[in-house]
Amino acid sequence: MEIRVLQYFLAVAREGGVSRAAEILHITQPTLSRQLAALEDEVGVKLFERGARKMTLTNEGMLLRRRAEEILSLVDKTQQELSWQEELIEGRVVIGCGEMAAVGLLSEIIASFHKKYPLVTYDILTANADVVKDQMEKGLVDIGVLLEPIDIEKFDFLRLEHKERWVTLMRPDDPLAEKEAIRADDLKGKPLIFPARANIRNELSNWMGDAFSEEQVVFTSNLATNGALMVQAGLGYSIVIEGAIPFWDEGKIVSRPLSPEILSDSVFAWKRGQPFSPAVKRFVEEIQCLLSISN
């Protein structure tokens, strides 16, 4: 079954006859009639009811019409993707992100993009959302994977369905490691390591309520891994999102979720009106395409 013949079939189905379809296709009526007859022979069923003034689809013909439209749509999409592949897109995409679960999705997007544009390379800046946003505003970072709350008035963005969960880090031999979840009273009077971002610190102190005092915060850290080293040394309990934790050694550091639970949103963002390179522009299109599918 040839693509060309499916196009002929759909033209006749749309126009309701061979005469008008032949004009649109720029072929002769006898040629088109022979192609339709050959198609019916090939599939072994009657596709049209031929009336005096109009041809109508049989039930089998309606099924083939749906399938033919799907096939031709896929062919068009594939041809478009192949034409993009032939374009010489190269350059560097600079991406800023924290230690978040959303980075797993970022890796999937990069893998998909790399298949299409293997000459493009990437810089990954690992920092908190405030630092990444500042670098984006200066034009030093193209794409940011940002943990909310964050002011993104100047940015275009897509919010992710997956939410980042907050947990407490502790040594595996700590008594709190026996608990399934950590409540605010469990941390009362204990040394704490908070994120460096002020709005996040405020959210966590509100969660702790009366169990919190500023004197407890002995460290702030912009990355969970650095705070975890302080935890391992017995210097405090670190409250972080659990993004990178699955890759750590549970023999050295364990985590327990907060109760009541705290979940934070994250976004993929890029500066509105920024003149991007072809590589970055295509990468943004890849993000929009893949996230629209997943959402």
Side-chain angles (χ1 to χ4, degrees):
M1 190 179 302
E2 298 181 17
I3 297 299
R4 173 178 52 84
V5 177
L6 290 179
Q7 291 170 332
Y8 291 171
F9 165 74
L10 288 176
V12 175
R14 284 193 301 268
E15 300 303 323
V18 171
S19 177
R20 177 59 181 156
E23 292 179 13
I24 293 173
L25 295 168
H26 304 293
I27 61 176
T28 66
Q29 292 185 39
T31 298
L32 182 53
S33 295
R34 286 195 300 269
Q35 294 286 353
L36 288 180
L39 178 59
E40 288 182 321
D41 288 342
E42 181 180 356
V43 297
V45 295
K46 189 176 180 180
L47 300 173
F48 291 96
E49 294 290 351
R50 290 162 173 82
R53 303 182 60 181
K54 188 173 182 180
M55 298 172 63
T56 57
L57 291 169
T58 63
N59 289 337
E60 293 80 4
M62 287 188 285
L63 174 60
L64 180 60
R65 179 176 186 169
R66 289 197 298 271
R67 295 292 182 261
E69 288 172 344
E70 293 171 357
I71 291 168
L72 293 179
S73 176
L74 182 58
V75 168
D76 288 341
K77 183 176 184 296
T78 302
Q79 288 175 337
Q80 185 181 53
E81 289 176 344
L82 289 174
S83 68
W84 285 354
Q85 177 69 31
E86 291 172 358
E87 296 180 34
L88 184 61
I89 299 294
E90 57 184 340
R92 185 174 296 274
V93 179
V94 183
I95 305 168
C97 56
E99 294 179 331
M100 305 160 61
V103 178
L105 178 57
L106 173 64
S107 68
E108 295 176 13
I109 294 172
I110 292 176
S112 172
F113 191 74
H114 182 68
K115 292 178 181 178
K116 299 176 184 177
Y117 307 108
L119 297 181
V120 175
T121 56
Y122 310 88
D123 282 341
I124 303 293
L125 167 69
T126 304
N128 69 26
D130 291 338
V131 174
V132 172
K133 175 174 171 284
D134 178 68
Q135 295 292 293
M136 292 170 69
E137 290 178 340
K138 294 176 180 177
L140 301 176
V141 168
D142 301 313
I143 313 291
V145 187
L146 308 176
L147 183 72
E148 294 189 304
I150 186 79
D151 180 9
I152 46 178
E153 181 181 353
K154 299 178 182 178
F155 299 87
D156 291 321
F157 66 92
L158 286 171
R159 183 168 285 108
L160 306 184
E161 284 191 347
H162 177 83
K163 297 183 181 294
E164 306 283 342
R165 185 171 72 157
W166 288 86
V167 300
T168 301
L169 301 183
M170 64 202 71
R171 291 162 53 115
D173 59 354
D174 191 281
L176 292 185
E178 300 296 323
K179 293 179 172 287
E180 293 185 1
I182 301 301
R183 305 186 65 85
D185 286 343
D186 296 327
L187 299 174
K188 186 174 183 178
K190 292 182 167 54
L192 300 176
I193 303 169
F194 267 15
R197 294 176 58 191
N199 52 1
I200 297 293
R201 292 200 305 272
N202 291 338
E203 185 174 352
L204 293 178
S205 61
N206 289 337
W207 173 82
M208 289 191 65
D210 294 339
F212 176 76
S213 67
E214 289 288 347
E215 293 75 18
Q216 291 178 257
V217 183
V218 292
F219 295 98
T220 62
S221 177
N222 68 336
L223 292 177
T225 302
N226 289 337
L229 292 174
M230 303 300 110
V231 173
Q232 187 177 340
L235 297 175
Y237 298 83
S238 184
I239 303 182
V240 298
I241 54 174
E242 65 180 340
I245 293 174
F247 303 101
W248 296 352
D249 184 354
E250 291 189 355
K252 297 179 179 178
I253 293 289
V254 297
S255 66
R256 298 292 181 265
L258 303 183
S259 178
E261 191 174 52
I262 300 181
L263 300 173
S264 294
D265 291 317
S266 57
V267 298
F268 278 75
W270 50 94
K271 191 173 181 181
R272 187 178 300 121
Q274 178 82 3
F276 289 132
S277 69
V280 175
K281 184 178 179 181
R282 285 289 166 80
F283 193 80
V284 169
E285 291 171 354
E286 188 78 6
I287 292 173
Q288 293 171 319
C289 177
L290 294 182
L291 290 189
S292 65
I293 293 173
S294 63
N295 291 339

